[in-house]
Coordinates of all heavy atoms in Angstrom, one line a residue:
M1 N 0.9 -1.2 0.0 CA 0.0 0.1 0.0 C 0.9 1.3 0.0 O 0.6 2.2 -0.8 CB -0.9 -0.1 1.3 CG -1.9 1.1 1.3 SD -3.1 0.9 0.0 CE -4.3 2.2 0.5
A2 N 2.0 1.2 0.8 CA 2.8 2.4 0.9 C 3.5 2.6 -0.5 O 3.8 3.8 -0.9 CB 3.7 2.3 2.0
S3 N 4.0 1.5 -1.1 CA 4.7 1.8 -2.3 C 3.7 2.3 -3.4 O 4.1 3.2 -4.2 CB 5.3 0.5 -2.9 OG 4.2 -0.5 -3.1
R4 N 2.5 2.0 -3.3 CA 1.5 2.5 -4.3 C 1.3 4.0 -4.1 O 1.2 4.8 -5.1 CB 0.2 1.8 -4.2 CG -0.9 2.2 -5.1 CD -2.1 1.3 -5.1 NE -3.0 1.6 -6.1 CZ -4.4 1.8 -5.9 NH1 -4.9 1.6 -4.8 NH2 -5.1 2.1 -7.0
V5 N 1.2 4.4 -2.9 CA 1.0 5.8 -2.5 C 2.4 6.6 -2.9 O 2.2 7.7 -3.5 CB 0.9 6.0 -0.9 CG1 0.8 7.5 -0.6 CG2 -0.5 5.4 -0.6
A6 N 3.5 6.0 -2.7 CA 4.8 6.6 -3.2 C 4.7 6.8 -4.7 O 5.2 7.8 -5.2 CB 5.9 5.9 -2.7
R7 N 4.2 5.7 -5.4 CA 4.3 5.8 -6.8 C 3.2 6.9 -7.3 O 3.5 7.7 -8.2 CB 4.0 4.5 -7.5 CG 5.1 3.5 -7.6 CD 4.7 2.3 -8.4 NE 4.0 1.5 -7.4 CZ 3.1 0.6 -7.7 NH1 2.8 0.4 -8.9 NH2 2.4 -0.1 -6.8
I8 N 2.2 7.1 -6.7 CA 1.1 8.0 -7.1 C 1.8 9.4 -6.8 O 1.5 10.4 -7.5 CB -0.1 7.8 -6.3 CG1 -0.9 6.6 -6.9 CG2 -1.1 9.1 -6.4 CD1 -2.1 6.2 -6.0
A9 N 2.3 9.6 -5.6 CA 3.0 10.9 -5.3 C 4.1 11.3 -6.3 O 4.2 12.4 -6.8 CB 3.6 10.8 -3.9
A10 N 4.8 10.3 -6.8 CA 5.9 10.5 -7.8 C 5.4 10.9 -9.1 O 5.8 11.9 -9.7 CB 6.8 9.2 -8.0
V11 N 4.3 10.3 -9.4 CA 3.5 10.7 -10.7 C 3.0 12.0 -10.7 O 3.1 12.8 -11.6 CB 2.5 9.6 -11.2 CG1 1.6 10.2 -12.3 CG2 3.2 8.3 -11.4
T12 N 2.3 12.4 -9.6 CA 1.7 13.7 -9.5 C 2.9 14.7 -9.4 O 2.7 15.9 -9.9 CB 0.9 13.8 -8.1 OG1 1.7 13.4 -7.1 CG2 -0.4 13.3 -8.2
R13 N 4.0 14.5 -8.8 CA 5.1 15.5 -8.8 C 5.6 15.7 -10.3 O 5.9 16.8 -10.7 CB 6.3 14.9 -8.0 CG 6.2 15.2 -6.5 CD 7.4 15.1 -5.8 NE 8.0 13.8 -6.0 CZ 7.8 12.7 -5.1 NH1 6.9 12.9 -4.3 NH2 8.3 11.6 -5.3
E14 N 5.6 14.6 -11.0 CA 6.1 14.7 -12.5 C 5.1 15.5 -13.3 O 5.4 16.4 -14.1 CB 6.3 13.4 -13.1 CG 7.5 12.6 -12.7 CD 7.6 11.2 -13.3 OE1 7.1 11.0 -14.4 OE2 8.2 10.4 -12.7
I15 N 3.7 15.2 -13.1 CA 2.7 15.9 -13.9 C 2.6 17.3 -13.5 O 2.6 18.3 -14.4 CB 1.3 15.2 -13.6 CG1 1.4 13.8 -14.3 CG2 0.2 16.0 -14.2 CD1 0.2 12.9 -13.9
F16 N 2.5 17.7 -12.3 CA 2.2 19.0 -11.8 C 3.6 19.8 -11.5 O 3.5 21.1 -11.2 CB 1.3 19.1 -10.6 CG 0.0 18.5 -10.9 CD1 -0.4 17.3 -10.2 CD2 -0.9 19.1 -11.8 CE1 -1.7 16.7 -10.5 CE2 -2.1 18.5 -12.0 CZ -2.5 17.3 -11.4
G17 N 4.7 19.2 -11.5 CA 5.9 19.9 -11.3 C 6.0 20.4 -9.8 O 6.5 21.5 -9.5
T18 N 5.6 19.7 -8.8 CA 5.6 20.2 -7.4 C 6.5 19.3 -6.6 O 6.9 18.2 -7.0 CB 4.1 20.1 -6.8 OG1 3.7 18.7 -6.8 CG2 3.1 21.1 -7.5
L19 N 6.8 19.8 -5.4 CA 7.6 19.0 -4.5 C 6.9 18.5 -3.3 O 5.7 19.2 -3.0 CB 8.8 19.9 -3.9 CG 9.9 20.3 -4.9 CD1 10.9 21.2 -4.3 CD2 10.6 19.1 -5.4
P20 N 7.2 17.5 -2.7 CA 6.5 17.0 -1.5 C 6.5 18.0 -0.3 O 7.6 18.6 -0.1 CB 7.1 15.7 -1.1 CG 8.5 15.7 -1.7 CD 8.4 16.6 -2.9
N21 N 5.4 18.1 0.4 CA 5.4 19.1 1.5 C 6.2 18.4 2.6 O 5.6 17.4 3.1 CB 3.9 19.4 1.8 CG 3.3 20.3 0.8 OD1 4.0 20.9 0.1 ND2 2.0 20.3 0.7
R22 N 7.1 18.9 3.1 CA 7.8 18.4 4.2 C 7.9 19.5 5.4 O 8.7 19.3 6.3 CB 9.2 18.0 3.9 CG 9.2 16.9 2.8 CD 10.7 16.3 2.7 NE 10.6 15.2 1.7 CZ 11.4 15.2 0.6 NH1 12.1 16.1 0.4 NH2 11.2 14.2 -0.2
G23 N 7.2 20.6 5.2 CA 7.3 21.6 6.3 C 8.5 22.4 6.2 O 8.9 23.0 7.2
V24 N 9.2 22.4 5.0 CA 10.5 23.1 4.9 C 10.3 24.1 3.8 O 9.8 23.8 2.7 CB 11.7 22.0 4.5 CG1 13.0 22.8 4.3 CG2 11.8 21.0 5.7
R25 N 10.8 25.3 4.0 CA 10.8 26.2 2.9 C 11.8 25.9 1.8 O 13.0 25.8 2.2 CB 11.0 27.7 3.5 CG 10.0 28.1 4.6 CD 10.3 29.4 5.1 NE 9.2 30.2 4.9 CZ 9.3 31.5 5.1 NH1 10.4 32.1 5.3 NH2 8.2 32.2 4.9
T26 N 11.3 25.8 0.7 CA 12.3 25.5 -0.3 C 12.6 26.5 -1.4 O 13.6 26.4 -2.2 CB 11.7 24.3 -1.2 OG1 10.5 24.8 -1.8 CG2 11.4 23.1 -0.4
G27 N 11.8 27.6 -1.4 CA 12.0 28.7 -2.4 C 11.5 28.4 -3.7 O 11.8 29.1 -4.6
M28 N 10.8 27.4 -3.9 CA 10.2 27.0 -5.2 C 9.2 28.1 -5.7 O 9.1 28.3 -7.0 CB 9.4 25.7 -5.2 CG 10.3 24.5 -5.2 SD 11.4 24.4 -6.7 CE 10.2 24.1 -7.9
Q29 N 8.6 28.8 -4.8 CA 7.7 29.8 -5.2 C 8.4 31.0 -6.1 O 7.9 31.4 -7.0 CB 7.1 30.6 -3.9 CG 6.1 31.7 -4.3 CD 5.6 32.3 -3.0 OE1 6.0 31.9 -1.9 NE2 4.8 33.2 -3.1
F30 N 9.6 31.2 -5.7 CA 10.4 32.3 -6.4 C 11.1 31.6 -7.6 O 11.3 32.4 -8.6 CB 11.5 32.8 -5.5 CG 10.9 33.5 -4.3 CD1 10.9 32.9 -3.0 CD2 10.2 34.8 -4.5 CE1 10.4 33.6 -2.0 CE2 9.7 35.4 -3.3 CZ 9.7 34.8 -2.1
L31 N 11.4 30.4 -7.6 CA 12.1 29.7 -8.7 C 11.2 29.4 -9.9 O 11.4 29.4 -11.0 CB 12.7 28.4 -8.3 CG 13.9 28.5 -7.4 CD1 14.2 27.1 -6.8 CD2 15.1 29.2 -8.0
K32 N 9.8 29.4 -9.4 CA 8.8 29.2 -10.5 C 8.6 30.4 -11.3 O 8.0 30.4 -12.4 CB 7.6 28.6 -9.9 CG 7.5 27.2 -9.5 CD 6.2 26.7 -9.0 CE 6.2 25.2 -8.6 NZ 5.0 24.9 -8.0
K33 N 8.8 31.7 -10.7 CA 8.4 32.8 -11.4 C 9.2 33.0 -12.7 O 10.5 32.7 -12.6 CB 8.7 34.0 -10.4 CG 7.6 34.1 -9.4 CD 7.8 35.3 -8.5 CE 6.8 35.5 -7.5 NZ 7.1 36.7 -6.6
P34 N 8.8 33.6 -13.6 CA 9.6 33.9 -14.9 C 10.7 35.0 -14.5 O 10.5 35.8 -13.7 CB 8.5 34.4 -15.9 CG 7.5 35.0 -15.1 CD 7.4 34.2 -13.8
L35 N 11.8 34.8 -15.2 CA 13.0 35.7 -15.0 C 12.6 37.1 -15.5 O 12.0 37.1 -16.6 CB 14.2 35.1 -15.6 CG 14.6 33.7 -15.1 CD1 15.9 33.3 -15.8 CD2 15.0 33.9 -13.5
T36 N 13.1 38.1 -14.9 CA 12.7 39.5 -15.3 C 13.9 40.3 -15.7 O 13.8 41.4 -16.1 CB 11.9 40.2 -14.2 OG1 12.8 40.3 -13.1 CG2 10.7 39.5 -13.8
G37 N 15.1 39.7 -15.8 CA 16.3 40.4 -16.1 C 16.3 41.0 -17.4 O 16.7 42.2 -17.7
A38 N 15.9 40.3 -18.4 CA 15.9 40.7 -19.8 C 14.8 41.8 -20.0 O 15.1 42.8 -20.7 CB 15.7 39.6 -20.7
Y39 N 13.8 41.7 -19.3 CA 12.6 42.7 -19.5 C 13.2 44.0 -18.9 O 12.9 45.0 -19.3 CB 11.5 42.2 -18.8 CG 10.3 43.2 -18.7 CD1 9.5 43.5 -19.9 CD2 10.1 44.0 -17.6 CE1 8.5 44.5 -19.8 CE2 9.1 44.8 -17.5 CZ 8.2 45.1 -18.5 OH 7.3 46.0 -18.6
E40 N 13.8 43.9 -17.7 CA 14.2 45.2 -17.0 C 15.4 45.9 -17.8 O 15.5 46.9 -17.9 CB 14.7 44.9 -15.6 CG 13.5 44.4 -14.6 CD 14.0 43.9 -13.3 OE1 15.2 44.2 -13.1 OE2 13.2 43.6 -12.6
A41 N 16.2 45.0 -18.5 CA 17.3 45.6 -19.2 C 16.7 46.3 -20.5 O 17.3 47.3 -20.9 CB 18.2 44.5 -19.7
R42 N 15.6 45.9 -21.0 CA 15.0 46.6 -22.1 C 14.4 47.9 -21.7 O 14.2 48.8 -22.5 CB 13.9 45.7 -22.7 CG 14.4 44.6 -23.7 CD 13.4 43.9 -24.4 NE 12.6 43.3 -23.3 CZ 11.3 42.9 -23.5 NH1 10.7 42.8 -24.6 NH2 10.7 42.2 -22.5
W43 N 14.0 48.0 -20.4 CA 13.3 49.1 -19.9 C 14.3 50.3 -20.0 O 13.8 51.5 -20.3 CB 12.7 48.9 -18.6 CG 12.1 50.1 -17.9 CD1 12.6 51.0 -17.1 CD2 10.7 50.5 -18.1 NE1 11.7 52.0 -16.7 CE2 10.6 51.6 -17.3 CE3 9.6 50.1 -18.9 CZ2 9.4 52.4 -17.3 CZ3 8.5 50.7 -18.8 CH2 8.3 51.8 -18.1
Y44 N 15.5 50.2 -19.5 CA 16.4 51.4 -19.4 C 17.1 51.5 -20.8 O 17.7 50.6 -21.2 CB 17.4 51.1 -18.3 CG 16.7 51.0 -16.9 CD1 16.4 49.8 -16.4 CD2 16.3 52.3 -16.3 CE1 15.8 49.8 -15.1 CE2 15.6 52.2 -15.1 CZ 15.3 51.0 -14.5 OH 14.8 51.0 -13.3
M45 N 17.2 52.8 -21.2 CA 17.8 53.0 -22.5 C 19.2 52.9 -22.3 O 19.9 53.3 -21.3 CB 17.4 54.4 -23.0 CG 17.9 54.8 -24.3 SD 17.2 56.4 -24.9 CE 18.3 57.4 -24.0
E46 N 19.9 52.4 -23.3 CA 21.4 52.3 -23.3 C 22.1 53.7 -23.3 O 21.5 54.6 -24.0 CB 21.9 51.4 -24.4 CG 23.3 51.2 -24.3 CD 23.8 50.2 -25.4 OE1 23.0 49.6 -26.2 OE2 25.0 50.0 -25.6
S47 N 23.0 53.9 -22.5 CA 23.7 55.3 -22.5 C 24.6 55.5 -23.8 O 25.1 54.6 -24.4 CB 24.7 55.2 -21.3 OG 25.4 56.5 -21.3
I48 N 24.4 56.8 -24.2 CA 25.2 57.2 -25.4 C 26.5 57.7 -25.0 O 27.3 57.9 -25.9 CB 24.4 58.2 -26.3 CG1 24.2 59.5 -25.5 CG2 23.1 57.7 -26.7 CD1 23.8 60.7 -26.4
E49 N 26.8 57.8 -23.8 CA 28.0 58.5 -23.4 C 29.3 57.8 -23.9 O 30.2 58.5 -24.4 CB 28.1 58.5 -21.8 CG 29.1 59.5 -21.3 CD 28.9 59.9 -19.9 OE1 27.8 59.6 -19.4 OE2 29.8 60.4 -19.3
P50 N 29.4 56.4 -23.9 CA 30.7 55.9 -24.3 C 30.8 56.1 -25.9 O 32.0 56.3 -26.3 CB 30.5 54.3 -24.0 CG 29.3 54.1 -23.2 CD 28.5 55.5 -23.3
Y51 N 29.7 56.0 -26.6 CA 29.8 56.2 -28.0 C 30.2 57.6 -28.3 O 31.0 57.9 -29.3 CB 28.5 55.8 -28.7 CG 28.1 54.4 -28.3 CD1 27.1 54.1 -27.6 CD2 28.8 53.3 -28.9 CE1 26.7 52.9 -27.3 CE2 28.4 52.1 -28.6 CZ 27.3 51.8 -27.8 OH 27.1 50.5 -27.5
A52 N 29.6 58.6 -27.6 CA 30.0 60.0 -27.8 C 31.4 60.4 -27.5 O 32.1 61.0 -28.3 CB 29.0 60.9 -27.0
R53 N 31.9 59.7 -26.4 CA 33.3 60.0 -26.1 C 34.2 59.4 -27.1 O 35.2 60.0 -27.4 CB 33.6 59.4 -24.6 CG 32.8 60.0 -23.6 CD 33.6 60.5 -22.5 NE 32.8 61.1 -21.5 CZ 32.5 62.4 -21.3 NH1 33.0 63.3 -22.1 NH2 31.8 62.8 -20.3
R54 N 33.8 58.1 -27.6 CA 34.8 57.5 -28.6 C 34.7 58.3 -29.8 O 35.8 58.6 -30.5 CB 34.2 56.1 -28.9 CG 35.2 55.2 -29.5 CD 34.7 53.8 -29.6 NE 34.3 53.2 -28.3 CZ 33.1 52.5 -28.2 NH1 32.4 52.3 -29.2 NH2 32.8 52.0 -27.0
A55 N 33.6 58.8 -30.2 CA 33.6 59.7 -31.5 C 34.3 61.0 -31.2 O 35.0 61.5 -32.2 CB 32.1 60.0 -31.9
Q56 N 34.3 61.6 -30.0 CA 35.0 62.8 -29.7 C 36.5 62.5 -29.9 O 37.3 63.4 -30.3 CB 34.7 63.3 -28.3 CG 35.0 64.6 -28.0 CD 34.4 65.0 -26.7 OE1 33.9 64.2 -26.0 NE2 34.6 66.2 -26.3
R57 N 37.0 61.3 -29.4 CA 38.4 61.2 -29.5 C 38.9 60.9 -30.8 O 39.9 61.3 -31.3 CB 38.7 59.9 -28.7 CG 39.1 60.2 -27.2 CD 39.6 59.1 -26.5 NE 38.6 58.5 -25.6 CZ 37.9 57.4 -25.6 NH1 38.4 56.3 -26.4 NH2 37.1 57.1 -24.8
A58 N 38.0 60.2 -31.7 CA 38.3 59.9 -33.1 C 38.4 61.1 -34.0 O 39.2 61.3 -34.9 CB 37.4 58.9 -33.6
C59 N 37.4 61.9 -33.8 CA 37.2 63.2 -34.7 C 37.4 64.5 -33.8 O 36.6 64.8 -32.9 CB 35.9 63.1 -35.4 SG 35.7 64.5 -36.5
T60 N 38.5 65.3 -34.1 CA 38.6 66.4 -33.3 C 37.6 67.5 -33.6 O 37.4 68.4 -32.7 CB 40.1 67.0 -33.5 OG1 40.2 67.3 -34.8 CG2 41.1 66.0 -33.0
S61 N 37.0 67.6 -34.7 CA 36.0 68.6 -35.0 C 34.7 68.3 -34.3 O 33.7 69.1 -34.4 CB 35.8 68.8 -36.5 OG 35.3 67.4 -37.0
F62 N 34.5 67.1 -33.7 CA 33.3 66.7 -33.1 C 33.1 67.6 -31.8 O 33.9 67.9 -31.0 CB 33.4 65.3 -32.5 CG 32.1 64.6 -32.3 CD1 31.3 64.1 -33.4 CD2 31.6 64.3 -31.0 CE1 30.1 63.6 -33.1 CE2 30.5 63.7 -30.7 CZ 29.6 63.3 -31.7
P63 N 31.8 68.2 -31.6 CA 31.6 69.0 -30.4 C 31.8 68.4 -29.1 O 31.6 67.1 -28.9 CB 30.2 69.5 -30.7 CG 29.6 68.5 -31.4 CD 30.6 67.9 -32.3
I64 N 32.3 69.0 -28.1 CA 32.5 68.5 -26.8 C 31.3 67.9 -26.2 O 30.2 68.7 -26.1 CB 33.2 69.6 -25.8 CG1 34.6 70.0 -26.4 CG2 33.3 69.1 -24.4 CD1 35.2 71.1 -25.7
Y65 N 31.3 66.8 -25.7 CA 30.1 66.1 -25.2 C 30.1 66.2 -23.7 O 31.2 65.9 -23.1 CB 30.0 64.6 -25.6 CG 28.9 63.9 -25.0 CD1 27.7 64.0 -25.4 CD2 29.2 63.0 -23.9 CE1 26.6 63.3 -24.8 CE2 28.1 62.4 -23.2 CZ 26.8 62.6 -23.7 OH 25.8 61.8 -23.1
T66 N 29.0 66.6 -23.1 CA 28.9 66.6 -21.7 C 27.5 65.8 -21.4 O 26.5 66.2 -22.0 CB 28.8 68.0 -21.0 OG1 27.9 68.7 -21.7 CG2 30.1 68.7 -21.2
S67 N 27.5 65.0 -20.4 CA 26.3 64.2 -20.0 C 25.4 65.1 -19.2 O 25.9 66.3 -18.8 CB 26.8 63.0 -19.2 OG 27.3 63.3 -18.0
E68 N 24.1 64.7 -19.1 CA 23.3 65.4 -18.3 C 23.7 65.7 -16.8 O 23.6 66.7 -16.2 CB 21.9 64.8 -18.2 CG 21.2 64.8 -19.5 CD 19.9 64.2 -19.4 OE1 19.3 64.1 -18.4 OE2 19.4 63.6 -20.5
L69 N 24.3 64.6 -16.3 CA 24.9 64.7 -14.9 C 26.0 65.7 -14.8 O 26.0 66.5 -13.9 CB 25.4 63.4 -14.5 CG 25.9 63.2 -13.1 CD1 24.7 63.4 -12.1 CD2 26.5 61.8 -12.9
Q70 N 27.0 65.7 -15.8 CA 28.0 66.7 -15.8 C 27.5 68.0 -15.9 O 28.0 69.0 -15.2 CB 29.0 66.4 -17.0 CG 30.0 65.5 -16.7 CD 31.0 65.3 -17.9 OE1 30.5 65.2 -19.0 NE2 32.3 65.3 -17.7
E71 N 26.5 68.3 -16.8 CA 25.9 69.6 -17.0 C 25.2 70.0 -15.8 O 25.5 71.2 -15.3 CB 24.9 69.5 -18.1 CG 24.4 70.8 -18.7 CD 25.5 71.6 -19.3 OE1 26.3 70.9 -20.2 OE2 25.6 72.8 -19.3
R72 N 24.5 69.2 -15.0 CA 23.8 69.6 -13.8 C 24.8 69.9 -12.7 O 24.7 71.0 -12.0 CB 23.0 68.4 -13.3 CG 21.9 68.8 -12.5 CD 20.9 67.7 -12.1 NE 20.6 66.8 -13.2 CZ 20.7 65.4 -13.1 NH1 21.1 64.9 -12.0 NH2 20.4 64.7 -14.2
R73 N 25.9 69.2 -12.6 CA 27.0 69.5 -11.5 C 27.7 70.8 -11.8 O 27.9 71.6 -11.0 CB 28.0 68.3 -11.6 CG 27.6 67.2 -10.9 CD 28.8 66.2 -10.9 NE 28.3 64.8 -10.3 CZ 28.9 63.8 -10.5 NH1 29.9 63.7 -11.3 NH2 28.4 62.7 -9.9
S74 N 27.9 71.0 -13.1 CA 28.7 72.4 -13.4 C 27.7 73.5 -13.2 O 28.2 74.6 -12.7 CB 29.2 72.3 -14.9 OG 28.2 72.2 -15.8
T75 N 26.5 73.4 -13.5 CA 25.5 74.4 -13.4 C 25.3 74.7 -11.9 O 25.4 75.9 -11.4 CB 24.2 74.1 -13.9 OG1 24.3 73.8 -15.3 CG2 23.2 75.2 -13.7
K76 N 25.2 73.7 -11.0 CA 25.2 73.9 -9.6 C 26.4 74.5 -9.0 O 26.4 75.4 -8.2 CB 24.9 72.4 -9.0 CG 24.7 72.5 -7.5 CD 24.5 71.2 -6.8 CE 24.3 71.2 -5.4 NZ 24.1 70.0 -4.7
L77 N 27.6 74.1 -9.5 CA 28.8 74.7 -8.9 C 29.0 76.1 -9.3 O 29.3 77.0 -8.5 CB 30.0 73.8 -9.5 CG 31.3 74.2 -9.0 CD1 31.4 73.9 -7.5 CD2 32.4 73.2 -9.7
R78 N 28.5 76.5 -10.6 CA 28.6 77.8 -11.0 C 27.7 78.8 -10.1 O 28.0 79.8 -9.7 CB 28.1 78.0 -12.4 CG 28.5 79.3 -13.0 CD 28.2 79.4 -14.5 NE 26.9 79.0 -14.9 CZ 26.4 78.0 -15.5 NH1 27.3 77.1 -16.0 NH2 25.2 77.8 -15.9
M79 N 26.4 78.1 -9.8 CA 25.5 79.0 -9.0 C 26.1 79.2 -7.6 O 25.9 80.2 -6.9 CB 24.2 78.2 -8.9 CG 23.5 78.1 -10.3 SD 23.2 79.8 -11.0 CE 21.7 80.3 -10.1
L80 N 26.7 78.0 -7.0 CA 27.2 78.1 -5.7 C 28.4 79.2 -5.6 O 28.5 79.9 -4.7 CB 27.8 76.7 -5.2 CG 26.7 75.8 -4.8 CD1 27.3 74.4 -4.6 CD2 26.1 76.2 -3.5
R81 N 29.2 79.2 -6.6 CA 30.4 80.1 -6.7 C 29.9 81.5 -6.8 O 30.4 82.4 -6.2 CB 31.2 79.9 -7.9 CG 32.2 78.6 -7.6 CD 33.2 78.5 -8.6 NE 34.1 77.3 -8.3 CZ 34.5 76.4 -9.2 NH1 34.2 76.6 -10.5 NH2 35.3 75.4 -8.8
Q82 N 28.8 81.7 -7.5 CA 28.2 83.1 -7.7 C 27.8 83.6 -6.2 O 27.8 84.8 -5.9 CB 27.0 83.1 -8.6 CG 27.4 83.1 -10.0 CD 26.2 83.1 -11.0 OE1 25.1 82.9 -10.5 NE2 26.4 83.2 -12.3
R83 N 27.2 82.7 -5.5 CA 26.7 83.1 -4.1 C 27.9 83.1 -3.1 O 27.6 83.5 -1.9 CB 25.7 82.1 -3.6 CG 24.5 82.3 -4.5 CD 23.3 81.5 -3.9 NE 23.5 80.4 -3.0 CZ 23.2 79.3 -3.0 NH1 22.3 78.9 -3.9 NH2 23.3 78.4 -2.0
G84 N 29.2 82.8 -3.5 CA 30.2 82.6 -2.6 C 30.3 81.4 -1.8 O 30.9 81.4 -0.6
K85 N 29.5 80.4 -2.0 CA 29.4 79.2 -1.2 C 30.1 78.0 -1.8 O 29.9 76.8 -1.4 CB 28.0 78.7 -1.1 CG 27.0 79.9 -0.6 CD 27.0 79.7 1.0 CE 26.0 80.8 1.4 NZ 26.0 80.8 2.9
G86 N 30.9 78.3 -2.9 CA 31.6 77.1 -3.6 C 32.8 76.6 -2.8 O 33.1 77.1 -1.8
P87 N 33.4 75.6 -3.3 CA 34.6 75.0 -2.7 C 35.7 75.9 -2.8 O 35.8 76.7 -3.6 CB 34.9 73.7 -3.5 CG 34.3 73.9 -4.9 CD 33.1 74.8 -4.6
P88 N 36.6 75.9 -1.7 CA 37.8 76.8 -1.7 C 38.8 76.5 -2.8 O 38.8 75.3 -3.3 CB 38.3 76.7 -0.3 CG 37.9 75.3 0.1 CD 36.6 75.1 -0.5
K89 N 39.6 77.3 -3.2 CA 40.6 77.1 -4.2 C 41.6 76.2 -3.5 O 41.8 76.1 -2.3 CB 41.3 78.4 -4.6 CG 40.3 79.1 -5.6 CD 41.0 80.3 -6.2 CE 40.1 81.0 -7.1 NZ 40.7 82.3 -7.6
K90 N 42.4 75.5 -4.3 CA 43.3 74.5 -3.9 C 44.4 75.2 -3.0 O 45.0 76.2 -3.4 CB 44.0 73.8 -5.0 CG 44.7 72.5 -4.7 CD 45.1 71.8 -6.0 CE 45.6 70.5 -5.7 NZ 46.0 69.9 -6.9
G91 N 44.6 74.7 -1.7 CA 45.6 75.1 -0.9 C 45.0 76.3 0.1 O 45.9 76.9 0.8
T92 N 43.8 76.7 -0.1 CA 43.3 77.8 0.8 C 42.2 77.3 1.7 O 41.4 78.1 2.0 CB 42.7 79.0 -0.2 OG1 41.7 78.4 -0.9 CG2 43.9 79.6 -1.0
G93 N 42.2 76.0 1.9 CA 41.1 75.4 2.8 C 41.2 75.8 4.2 O 42.1 76.5 4.7
K94 N 40.4 75.2 5.1 CA 40.3 75.5 6.5 C 41.7 75.1 7.2 O 42.0 75.9 8.1 CB 39.2 74.6 7.1 CG 38.9 75.1 8.5 CD 38.0 74.0 9.2 CE 36.5 74.4 9.1 NZ 35.6 73.4 9.7
R95 N 42.4 74.1 6.9 CA 43.5 73.5 7.5 C 44.8 73.9 6.9 O 45.8 73.4 7.2 CB 43.4 72.0 7.6 CG 42.3 71.6 8.5 CD 42.3 70.1 8.7 NE 42.1 69.4 7.6 CZ 42.3 68.0 7.5 NH1 42.7 67.4 8.5 NH2 42.1 67.4 6.4
S96 N 44.8 74.9 6.0 CA 46.1 75.3 5.3 C 46.8 76.3 6.3 O 46.2 76.9 7.1 CB 45.8 76.0 4.0 OG 45.1 77.2 4.2
K97 N 48.1 76.3 6.1 CA 48.9 77.2 7.1 C 48.9 78.6 6.7 O 48.8 79.1 5.6 CB 50.3 76.6 7.1 CG 50.4 75.2 7.8 CD 51.8 74.8 7.9 CE 51.9 73.5 8.5 NZ 53.3 73.0 8.6

């Protein structure tokens, strides 16, 4: 009788792709989910920065490329310097002699 139950359990595992319940967390719930890496990779646009930098090195007449992040930083630094709140010049900091 026990062997018959074991065979039925084995067949149901093959058909439904489940594991026997043993009161142990197996993580199968997460392993059954479809992978999302490729989908997430498609969501974010590929950066043009490496290509722009390569083109800039190859052709000297190519305009100087600055990323949005660089542009934002330089704008913020310029505004801070206008207000007198920018970083000190090299060698004139708090701990210089």
Side-chain angles (χ1 to χ4, degrees):
M1 183 73 172
S3 63
R4 185 172 185 226
V5 173
R7 279 187 282 152
I8 291 173
V11 170
T12 49
R13 279 197 300 272
E14 286 178 25
I15 292 171
F16 299 113
T18 58
L19 292 175
N21 292 336
R22 296 191 180 124
V24 179
R25 298 177 125 197
T26 60
M28 281 301 289
Q29 178 181 2
F30 300 104
L31 293 174
K32 284 181 181 178
K33 286 185 179 178
L35 300 176
T36 59
Y39 176 76
E40 290 175 10
R42 280 184 298 166
W43 177 263
Y44 296 101
M45 188 173 75
E46 190 176 349
S47 175
I48 64 162
E49 194 163 343
Y51 303 109
R53 298 240 183 257
R54 202 174 303 135
Q56 194 173 6
R57 269 188 256 122
C59 182
T60 54
S61 64
F62 200 75
I64 295 174
Y65 174 77
T66 55
S67 66
E68 290 179 26
L69 183 63
Q70 271 182 313
E71 193 68 39
R72 207 175 317 130
R73 282 181 183 158
S74 63
T75 305
K76 183 179 178 184
L77 189 59
R78 190 172 62 246
M79 297 299 282
L80 285 171
R81 283 189 180 142
Q82 283 177 354
R83 294 188 343 228
K85 305 267 186 188
K89 289 189 177 169
K90 199 168 183 182
T92 61
K94 188 193 265 185
R95 296 189 293 171
S96 66
K97 292 183 181 180

